[in-house]
Amino acid sequence: VQLLAAQQSLGIAEHRLAQTKPPFWLVRDGEFIASELLDSLDAGRSLHVDLLIGTTREEMAAFYHFDVKIQGADNRIVDDLFHAEFGDRATHYLNSYRQRRARQTPAALLGDLYTDKVFRRDSLLLAERFNQKGLASYAYEFDWQSPNKLEACHCLEIPFVFKNLEHWVGSPMLEGLDREEFHGLSSSMQKAWVAFAHCGNPNHPGIPQWDTYTATGRNVMHFGSVIGPRKAHIISDQSDHT
């Protein structure tokens, strides 16, 4: 109990607006953890496994939905955080994020920014590194929208992959879902994950063609009410991919 109380106190003390980093994190000790994961995949390191990796479309949505400071944020806060990330190019990037949102709320704009920064960007870079080493890498994005205004939030794809809705009774992010749609999407995803585990390729007759992720093709399979591939685009990473 004391440890949990101490962790909670530290989390509150270390919390920064719009950030989700937990109070305890991996520490580089120079032996077991010597560098960032992407930095460790240098030219001299050999890998012997293929990769299936992805994110949800709005990873930050559940964190922000219950954060009163985010819900009460105004445009000044958005401007400040974008300037902290991009400096002189903040206006350019903020306009780019605004263009893809019908409702340009602070929570939506900051959520898209930090979904890219914390989750999507490095996931796709990891897929690219695996492909460059001659390995198969497949990327996905989970787009299905929670009926309870939590959008395609962090961890939402888990019950679909494992098809274990009975273990998620009372979960706010699944409340009010269409069970027929759940089972259809779950079946498509579960068969893909099983196929990948079995032979290193997630393709099966129930989904469109899922090509590997490459630096040029940047193919990502989107799972939602509609399933299909699209080319990945990360606004906050334009300088690396244009």
Side-chain angles (χ1 to χ4, degrees):
V1 174
Q2 290 178 322
L3 285 173
L4 290 174
Q7 178 178 338
Q8 184 178 35
S9 297
L10 181 60
I12 293 172
E14 293 293 318
H15 179 69
R16 300 292 182 271
L17 184 66
Q19 306 299 312
T20 60
K21 188 175 181 178
F24 296 102
W25 203 243
L26 297 175
V27 175
R28 288 186 210 143
D29 61 358
E31 182 178 359
F32 295 103
I33 302 176
S35 65
E36 295 288 342
L37 176 59
L38 285 171
D39 295 335
S40 71
L41 300 179
D42 55 34
R45 180 173 179 180
S46 60
L47 299 171
H48 306 286
V49 294
D50 297 319
L51 178 71
L52 190 153
I53 191 169
T55 63
T56 66
R57 194 174 82 183
E58 288 102 1
E59 290 278 358
M60 308 299 287
F63 301 112
Y64 287 179
H65 184 80
F66 300 102
D67 188 328
V68 293
K69 291 184 178 179
I70 287 291
Q71 295 304 316
D74 56 21
N75 289 331
R76 178 186 59 79
I77 291 175
V78 174
D79 288 340
D80 288 346
L81 289 172
F82 268 79
H83 273 91
E85 291 293 334
F86 301 115
D88 293 341
R89 302 204 71 198
T91 300
H92 164 76
Y93 283 116
L94 178 53
N95 288 338
S96 296
Y97 276 102
R98 287 187 184 280
Q99 287 170 358
R100 70 178 188 182
R101 276 289 174 181
R103 294 187 68 241
Q104 300 167 1
T105 65
L109 295 172
L110 294 175
D112 288 347
L113 168 62
Y114 289 111
T115 288
D116 279 355
K117 178 183 177 181
V118 179
F119 296 96
R120 290 184 66 233
R121 179 179 178 275
D122 283 353
S123 294
L124 295 178
L125 283 174
L126 188 63
E128 185 177 313
R129 295 281 179 87
F130 269 66
N131 174 261
Q132 289 170 346
K133 288 180 174 291
L135 298 164
S137 59
Y138 296 88
Y140 72 88
E141 181 174 296
F142 188 76
D143 295 342
W144 183 85
Q145 298 289 289
S146 165
N148 202 22
K149 298 183 179 180
L150 292 173
E151 301 177 284
C153 62
H154 185 61
C155 291
L156 186 58
E157 78 272 36
I158 293 176
F160 289 82
V161 171
F162 291 100
K163 209 170 191 177
N164 59 352
L165 194 58
E166 67 277 8
H167 296 303
W168 295 78
V169 175
S171 172
M173 63 186 184
L174 296 173
E175 184 179 353
L177 63 75
D178 182 318
R179 287 181 174 268
E180 184 177 355
E181 183 177 62
F182 170 83
H183 287 293
L185 181 54
S186 177
S187 179
S188 295
M189 294 183 69
Q190 193 171 65
K191 289 177 182 176
W193 266 243
V194 170
F196 178 79
H198 180 68
C199 64
N201 187 325
N203 282 285
H204 64 86
I207 61 172
Q209 177 66 30
W210 187 349
D211 294 328
T212 56
Y213 189 90
T214 67
T216 53
R218 304 182 69 195
N219 182 76
V220 175
M221 182 62 75
H222 288 251
F223 288 96
S225 298
V226 175
I227 302 169
R230 293 206 296 271
K231 185 174 183 177
H233 174 62
I234 305 177
I235 291 174
S236 59
D237 195 31
Q238 285 184 340
S239 61
D240 293 333
H241 295 289
T242 55

